[in-house]
Amino acid sequence: MRTGYNRNQTTWRRSKKKTSPPEYSGIDQDFLDILQQHTAGNPMNSSIRWTYLKPREIVSELLKKGYSVSRNIVRYLLKKHEYVKRKAQKNITMGGHPDRNAQIENITQLKQDYLDAGNPVISMDTKKKELLGTFYRNGSLYTQAAIQTNDHDFPSSATGSVIPHGVYDLKRNTGYITLGTSHDTSEFACDSLFQWWVNEGIIHYPKAKSLLILCDGGGSNSSRHYIFKEDLQKTANALGLEIRIAHYPPYTSKYNPIEHRFFPHVTRACEGVVFDS
């Protein structure tokens, strides 16, 4: 430690000297030898490796070799040898489609045409169903007392379920959610669209001549089911508005704007909240 005197503030201060981990002769090689038996790698790239050992387990192995180290030293060694803690990422596409790129380009052009004409462009999808009851949910809240939930999440103990259907307005960057309590059907999807238009759409787009909807190719708004097309026609007739659907190709639902522009905020807002009614 060093002590110094600051003339401007006339107060004493201490300057902290950054210390580096102590050096152990041969510890790097012994560390790598321990990891070698518990390391997996990428057969296409020798520089990519990972280990399933935890720092405390590596500490135990180093203690057996005569090194008196802590978990901080082990974390330092992991970082030194480029072992960084990472989460798996769901980025590998499980399939493809010959017209995938053409459809993406078509959707991009359609969006721009509608926005230039002042017509609304929305993205819609259904979020996963949630059980109603005193069930545990990930996340934490500021509370004055502990939140008590069931020790098991059996669906048979639920008092019902809630199905959130979202509509995301690309131009206004706003979202709208309709909650269903029965099943995720095409009729429910069209009713949710109807509710958005009556409560939001017609107010902000009074002169709209057509509506462009971006959605996935499966689920309640499937591109292959005639019942969705039938319910959509009924909705268009009731609203007196032309509706155009643009389905994303198979295995590309992550490009649907609602997935990364709206649903993550809904998930974060509901963390730790118990859906008991």
Side-chain angles (χ1 to χ4, degrees):
M1 292 291 186
R2 292 182 178 178
T3 58
Y5 183 70
N6 189 319
R7 294 179 180 273
N8 295 328
Q9 298 182 9
T10 64
T11 55
W12 288 95
R13 63 180 175 83
R14 290 178 180 271
S15 59
K16 295 182 178 180
K17 183 179 179 181
K18 188 175 181 180
T19 58
S20 58
E23 296 294 333
Y24 294 94
S25 176
I27 191 173
D28 286 273
Q29 187 57 50
D30 287 333
F31 169 79
L32 293 174
D33 289 343
I34 292 170
L35 261 61
Q36 184 177 4
Q37 302 302 322
H38 307 277
T39 297
N42 187 336
M44 306 301 293
N45 189 340
S46 61
S47 65
I48 300 178
R49 306 177 304 277
W50 59 92
T51 181
Y52 57 82
L53 287 179
K54 296 179 175 60
R56 58 179 174 80
E57 295 172 327
I58 301 175
V59 167
S60 299
E61 294 298 322
L62 286 173
L63 288 174
K64 294 177 184 178
K65 292 181 177 290
Y67 297 101
S68 179
V69 296
S70 65
R71 295 185 190 180
N72 288 335
I73 299 297
V74 169
R75 293 189 184 99
Y76 167 78
L77 291 170
L78 286 167
K79 186 176 181 180
K80 178 180 178 180
H81 294 283
E82 300 181 348
Y83 283 89
V84 181
K85 197 171 186 179
R86 294 184 174 94
K87 291 180 66 176
Q89 299 178 359
K90 299 171 69 173
N91 291 330
I92 301 176
T93 303
M94 296 180 63
H97 193 277
D99 299 322
R100 171 179 170 175
N101 188 63
Q103 177 63 357
I104 293 292
E105 291 181 352
N106 181 47
I107 290 175
T108 301
Q109 187 61 50
L110 280 173
K111 285 194 296 184
Q112 194 58 51
D113 292 343
Y114 268 71
L115 292 173
D116 292 342
N119 287 320
V121 179
I122 65 171
S123 169
M124 73 177 193
D125 197 9
T126 305
K127 212 170 181 299
K128 76 178 185 69
K129 179 174 65 175
E130 299 282 357
L131 295 176
L132 291 178
T134 51
F135 298 120
Y136 172 82
R137 301 187 73 253
N138 287 326
S140 57
L141 300 171
Y142 284 103
T143 65
Q144 293 182 326
I147 301 174
Q148 303 294 334
T149 60
N150 297 341
D151 57 354
H152 288 83
D153 297 338
F154 295 134
S156 58
S157 302
T159 57
S161 62
V162 58
I163 306 168
H165 184 279
V167 173
Y168 172 65
D169 186 338
L170 272 68
K171 183 177 181 180
R172 298 181 55 247
N173 193 33
T174 59
Y176 185 91
I177 285 187
T178 302
L179 301 179
T181 56
S182 56
H183 301 283
D184 182 23
T185 62
S186 61
E187 185 178 10
F188 170 55
C190 290
D191 284 346
S192 301
L193 173 63
F194 184 91
Q195 292 295 326
W196 170 80
W197 179 256
V198 170
N199 293 300
E200 294 281 340
I202 197 171
I203 297 173
H204 299 287
Y205 302 98
K207 298 181 180 179
K209 303 297 183 183
S210 182
L211 169 66
L212 175 63
I213 302 177
L214 311 178
C215 56
D216 302 340
S220 57
N221 44 241
S222 175
S223 59
R224 296 179 295 275
H225 294 170
Y226 74 90
I227 192 168
F228 173 61
K229 301 174 183 178
E230 181 180 344
D231 289 335
L232 197 63
Q233 184 62 59
K234 293 178 182 177
T235 304
N237 295 339
L239 297 177
L241 181 70
E242 178 187 77
I243 298 178
R244 183 165 187 171
I245 294 285
H247 288 283
Y248 280 89
Y251 307 104
T252 61
S253 61
K254 58 180 175 288
Y255 294 105
N256 195 355
I258 195 171
E259 296 289 347
H260 55 271
R261 292 292 299 153
F262 184 40
F263 281 163
H265 301 289
V266 177
T267 299
R268 187 174 66 249
C270 296
E271 286 182 347
V273 178
V274 178
F275 296 153
D276 55 0
S277 65

Coordinates of all heavy atoms in Angstrom, one line a residue, residues 103 106-107 110-111 114 120-124 165 189-190 193 210-218 220-225 228-233 235-236 242-248 256:
Q103 N -37.7 -15.9 -50.5 CA -38.8 -15.4 -49.7 C -38.4 -14.3 -48.7 O -39.2 -13.4 -48.5 CB -39.4 -16.6 -48.9 CG -40.6 -16.3 -48.0 CD -41.8 -15.8 -48.6 OE1 -41.8 -15.6 -49.9 NE2 -42.8 -15.5 -47.9
N106 N -38.3 -11.2 -50.6 CA -39.7 -10.8 -50.9 C -40.4 -10.1 -49.7 O -41.0 -9.1 -49.9 CB -40.5 -12.1 -51.3 CG -42.0 -11.7 -51.7 OD1 -42.2 -10.8 -52.4 ND2 -42.9 -12.5 -51.1
I107 N -40.1 -10.7 -48.5 CA -40.7 -10.1 -47.3 C -40.1 -8.7 -47.1 O -40.8 -7.7 -46.7 CB -40.4 -11.0 -46.1 CG1 -41.3 -12.2 -46.2 CG2 -40.7 -10.3 -44.8 CD1 -41.0 -13.3 -45.1
L110 N -41.7 -6.3 -49.5 CA -43.1 -6.0 -49.1 C -43.2 -5.1 -47.9 O -44.0 -4.1 -47.9 CB -43.8 -7.3 -48.7 CG -44.3 -8.2 -49.9 CD1 -44.8 -9.5 -49.3 CD2 -45.4 -7.5 -50.6
K111 N -42.3 -5.3 -46.9 CA -42.3 -4.4 -45.8 C -42.0 -2.9 -46.2 O -42.7 -2.0 -45.7 CB -41.2 -4.8 -44.8 CG -41.6 -6.0 -44.0 CD -40.6 -6.2 -42.8 CE -39.2 -6.5 -43.2 NZ -38.3 -6.8 -42.1
Y114 N -45.0 -1.4 -48.1 CA -46.2 -1.0 -47.2 C -45.8 0.2 -46.3 O -46.6 1.1 -46.1 CB -46.5 -2.2 -46.3 CG -47.6 -3.1 -46.9 CD1 -47.3 -3.9 -48.0 CD2 -48.9 -3.1 -46.3 CE1 -48.3 -4.7 -48.5 CE2 -49.9 -3.9 -46.9 CZ -49.6 -4.7 -48.0 OH -50.6 -5.5 -48.5
P120 N -50.0 -0.2 -42.4 CA -49.3 -0.9 -41.3 C -48.7 -2.2 -41.6 O -49.2 -2.9 -42.5 CB -50.5 -1.1 -40.3 CG -51.7 -1.1 -41.2 CD -51.4 -0.2 -42.3
V121 N -47.6 -2.5 -40.9 CA -46.9 -3.8 -41.0 C -46.8 -4.3 -39.6 O -46.2 -3.6 -38.8 CB -45.5 -3.6 -41.7 CG1 -44.8 -5.0 -41.7 CG2 -45.6 -3.0 -43.0
I122 N -47.3 -5.5 -39.4 CA -47.3 -6.1 -38.0 C -46.7 -7.4 -38.1 O -46.7 -8.1 -39.2 CB -48.7 -6.1 -37.4 CG1 -49.6 -7.1 -38.1 CG2 -49.3 -4.8 -37.2 CD1 -50.9 -7.4 -37.4
S123 N -46.1 -7.9 -37.0 CA -45.6 -9.2 -36.8 C -46.3 -9.8 -35.7 O -46.5 -9.2 -34.7 CB -44.1 -9.1 -36.5 OG -43.6 -10.4 -36.1
M124 N -46.8 -11.1 -35.9 CA -47.6 -11.7 -34.8 C -47.2 -13.1 -34.6 O -46.7 -13.8 -35.5 CB -49.1 -11.6 -35.1 CG -49.6 -12.5 -36.2 SD -51.4 -12.4 -36.4 CE -51.8 -13.8 -37.4
H165 N -50.9 -14.0 -27.0 CA -50.8 -13.8 -28.4 C -50.3 -12.4 -28.6 O -51.0 -11.4 -28.2 CB -52.1 -14.1 -29.2 CG -51.9 -14.0 -30.7 ND1 -52.0 -12.8 -31.3 CD2 -51.7 -14.9 -31.6 CE1 -51.8 -13.0 -32.6 NE2 -51.7 -14.3 -32.8
A189 N -56.1 -16.6 -33.0 CA -55.2 -15.7 -33.6 C -55.9 -14.6 -34.4 O -55.5 -13.4 -34.3 CB -54.3 -16.5 -34.6
C190 N -57.0 -14.9 -35.1 CA -57.7 -13.9 -35.8 C -58.5 -12.9 -34.9 O -58.6 -11.7 -35.2 CB -58.6 -14.5 -36.8 SG -57.8 -15.4 -38.2
L193 N -56.0 -10.5 -33.6 CA -55.7 -9.5 -34.7 C -56.9 -8.5 -34.7 O -56.6 -7.2 -34.8 CB -55.6 -10.2 -36.0 CG -55.5 -9.3 -37.3 CD1 -54.2 -8.4 -37.2 CD2 -55.5 -10.1 -38.5
S210 N -54.5 -1.4 -46.7 CA -54.1 -2.8 -46.6 C -53.3 -3.0 -45.4 O -52.6 -2.1 -44.9 CB -53.4 -3.2 -47.9 OG -53.0 -4.5 -47.9
L211 N -53.2 -4.2 -44.9 CA -52.5 -4.6 -43.7 C -51.5 -5.8 -44.1 O -52.0 -6.8 -44.6 CB -53.4 -5.0 -42.6 CG -52.8 -5.6 -41.3 CD1 -51.8 -4.7 -40.6 CD2 -53.8 -6.1 -40.4
L212 N -50.2 -5.6 -43.8 CA -49.3 -6.7 -44.0 C -49.0 -7.4 -42.7 O -48.6 -6.7 -41.7 CB -48.0 -6.2 -44.7 CG -46.9 -7.2 -44.9 CD1 -47.3 -8.3 -45.8 CD2 -45.6 -6.5 -45.3
I213 N -49.1 -8.7 -42.7 CA -48.8 -9.5 -41.4 C -47.7 -10.4 -41.7 O -47.7 -11.2 -42.6 CB -50.1 -10.3 -41.0 CG1 -51.3 -9.4 -40.7 CG2 -49.8 -11.1 -39.7 CD1 -52.5 -10.1 -40.4
L214 N -46.7 -10.3 -40.9 CA -45.5 -11.2 -40.9 C -45.7 -12.3 -39.8 O -45.9 -12.0 -38.7 CB -44.2 -10.5 -40.7 CG -44.0 -9.2 -41.5 CD1 -42.7 -8.6 -41.2 CD2 -44.0 -9.5 -43.0
C215 N -45.6 -13.6 -40.2 CA -45.7 -14.6 -39.2 C -45.0 -15.9 -39.6 O -44.6 -16.0 -40.8 CB -47.2 -14.9 -38.9 SG -48.2 -15.3 -40.4
D216 N -44.9 -16.8 -38.7 CA -44.3 -18.1 -39.0 C -45.2 -19.0 -39.8 O -46.4 -18.7 -40.0 CB -44.0 -18.9 -37.7 CG -43.1 -18.0 -36.7 OD1 -42.4 -17.1 -37.2 OD2 -43.1 -18.3 -35.5
G217 N -44.6 -20.1 -40.3 CA -45.4 -20.9 -41.2 C -46.2 -22.0 -40.5 O -47.0 -22.7 -41.1
G218 N -46.1 -22.1 -39.1 CA -46.8 -23.1 -38.4 C -47.6 -22.6 -37.3 O -47.8 -21.4 -37.2
S220 N -50.9 -21.7 -35.0 CA -52.3 -21.2 -35.2 C -52.5 -20.5 -36.5 O -53.6 -20.3 -37.1 CB -52.8 -20.4 -34.1 OG -52.0 -19.3 -33.9
N221 N -51.3 -19.9 -37.0 CA -51.4 -19.2 -38.3 C -50.6 -19.9 -39.4 O -49.9 -19.3 -40.2 CB -50.8 -17.8 -38.1 CG -49.5 -17.7 -37.3 OD1 -49.4 -17.1 -36.3 ND2 -48.5 -18.4 -37.8
S222 N -50.8 -21.2 -39.4 CA -50.1 -22.1 -40.3 C -50.4 -21.7 -41.8 O -51.5 -21.4 -42.2 CB -50.5 -23.6 -40.1 OG -49.9 -24.4 -41.1
S223 N -49.3 -21.8 -42.6 CA -49.5 -21.5 -44.0 C -50.1 -22.7 -44.8 O -50.5 -22.5 -46.0 CB -48.1 -21.3 -44.6 OG -47.2 -22.4 -44.5
R224 N -50.3 -23.8 -44.2 CA -50.8 -25.0 -44.8 C -52.3 -25.4 -44.4 O -52.9 -26.2 -45.1 CB -49.9 -26.2 -44.5 CG -48.5 -26.1 -45.1 CD -47.7 -27.3 -44.7 NE -47.4 -27.4 -43.3 CZ -46.5 -26.8 -42.6 NH1 -45.7 -26.0 -43.3 NH2 -46.3 -26.9 -41.3
H225 N -52.8 -24.7 -43.4 CA -54.1 -25.1 -42.9 C -55.2 -24.1 -43.5 O -55.1 -22.9 -43.4 CB -54.2 -25.0 -41.4 CG -53.3 -26.1 -40.7 ND1 -53.1 -26.1 -39.4 CD2 -52.7 -27.2 -41.3 CE1 -52.3 -27.1 -39.1 NE2 -52.0 -27.8 -40.2
F228 N -57.2 -21.5 -41.2 CA -56.6 -20.1 -40.9 C -57.0 -19.1 -42.0 O -57.4 -18.0 -41.7 CB -55.1 -20.2 -40.7 CG -54.5 -18.9 -40.5 CD1 -54.8 -18.0 -39.5 CD2 -53.5 -18.4 -41.5 CE1 -54.2 -16.8 -39.3 CE2 -52.9 -17.2 -41.3 CZ -53.3 -16.3 -40.3
K229 N -56.9 -19.6 -43.2 CA -57.3 -18.7 -44.4 C -58.8 -18.4 -44.3 O -59.2 -17.2 -44.6 CB -56.9 -19.4 -45.7 CG -55.5 -19.8 -45.8 CD -55.2 -20.6 -47.0 CE -53.7 -21.0 -47.1 NZ -53.4 -21.8 -48.3
E230 N -59.6 -19.3 -43.9 CA -61.0 -19.1 -43.8 C -61.3 -18.1 -42.7 O -62.1 -17.1 -42.9 CB -61.8 -20.4 -43.5 CG -63.3 -20.2 -43.4 CD -64.0 -21.6 -43.1 OE1 -63.3 -22.6 -43.3 OE2 -65.1 -21.5 -42.7
D231 N -60.7 -18.2 -41.5 CA -60.9 -17.3 -40.4 C -60.3 -15.9 -40.7 O -60.9 -14.9 -40.3 CB -60.3 -17.8 -39.1 CG -61.0 -19.0 -38.6 OD1 -62.2 -19.2 -38.8 OD2 -60.4 -19.9 -37.9
L232 N -59.2 -15.9 -41.5 CA -58.6 -14.6 -41.9 C -59.5 -13.9 -42.8 O -59.7 -12.6 -42.7 CB -57.3 -14.9 -42.5 CG -56.3 -13.7 -42.6 CD1 -56.0 -13.2 -41.2 CD2 -55.1 -14.1 -43.4
Q233 N -60.2 -14.6 -43.7 CA -61.1 -13.9 -44.7 C -62.3 -13.3 -43.9 O -62.8 -12.2 -44.2 CB -61.6 -14.9 -45.7 CG -62.5 -14.4 -46.8 CD -61.8 -13.3 -47.6 OE1 -60.8 -13.6 -48.2 NE2 -62.3 -12.1 -47.6
T235 N -62.2 -12.2 -40.9 CA -61.7 -11.1 -40.2 C -61.6 -9.9 -41.1 O -61.9 -8.7 -40.8 CB -60.3 -11.4 -39.5 OG1 -60.5 -12.5 -38.7 CG2 -59.8 -10.2 -38.7
A236 N -61.1 -10.1 -42.3 CA -60.9 -9.1 -43.3 C -62.3 -8.5 -43.7 O -62.4 -7.3 -43.8 CB -60.2 -9.6 -44.6
E242 N -58.2 -4.9 -46.5 CA -57.4 -5.9 -47.2 C -56.3 -6.4 -46.3 O -55.6 -5.6 -45.7 CB -56.8 -5.4 -48.5 CG -56.0 -6.4 -49.2 CD -55.2 -5.8 -50.4 OE1 -54.2 -5.1 -50.2 OE2 -55.7 -6.0 -51.5
I243 N -56.1 -7.7 -46.1 CA -55.0 -8.3 -45.3 C -54.2 -9.2 -46.2 O -54.6 -10.0 -46.9 CB -55.6 -9.1 -44.2 CG1 -56.5 -8.2 -43.2 CG2 -54.5 -9.8 -43.3 CD1 -57.2 -9.0 -42.1
R244 N -52.9 -8.9 -46.1 CA -51.9 -9.7 -46.8 C -51.0 -10.4 -45.8 O -50.4 -9.8 -44.9 CB -51.1 -8.8 -47.8 CG -50.1 -9.6 -48.6 CD -49.6 -8.8 -49.8 NE -48.8 -9.6 -50.7 CZ -48.3 -9.2 -51.9 NH1 -48.6 -8.0 -52.3 NH2 -47.6 -10.0 -52.6
I245 N -50.8 -11.7 -46.0 CA -49.9 -12.5 -45.1 C -48.6 -12.8 -45.8 O -48.6 -13.2 -47.0 CB -50.6 -13.8 -44.7 CG1 -51.9 -13.6 -43.9 CG2 -49.7 -14.7 -44.0 CD1 -51.6 -13.2 -42.5
A246 N -47.5 -12.7 -45.1 CA -46.2 -13.1 -45.6 C -45.6 -14.1 -44.5 O -45.2 -13.7 -43.4 CB -45.3 -11.9 -45.8
H247 N -45.5 -15.3 -44.9 CA -45.0 -16.4 -44.0 C -43.5 -16.5 -44.2 O -43.0 -16.5 -45.3 CB -45.7 -17.7 -44.3 CG -47.1 -17.8 -43.9 ND1 -47.5 -18.0 -42.6 CD2 -48.2 -17.8 -44.6 CE1 -48.8 -18.1 -42.5 NE2 -49.3 -17.9 -43.8
Y248 N -42.8 -16.6 -43.0 CA -41.4 -16.9 -43.1 C -41.2 -18.3 -43.5 O -42.0 -19.2 -43.1 CB -40.7 -16.6 -41.7 CG -40.5 -15.1 -41.5 CD1 -41.5 -14.3 -41.0 CD2 -39.3 -14.5 -41.9 CE1 -41.2 -12.9 -40.8 CE2 -39.1 -13.2 -41.7 CZ -40.1 -12.4 -41.2 OH -39.8 -11.0 -41.0
N256 N -38.5 -13.5 -37.4 CA -39.7 -12.8 -37.2 C -39.5 -11.7 -36.2 O -39.1 -12.0 -35.1 CB -40.8 -13.8 -36.8 CG -42.2 -13.3 -36.9 OD1 -42.4 -12.1 -37.3 ND2 -43.2 -14.1 -36.6

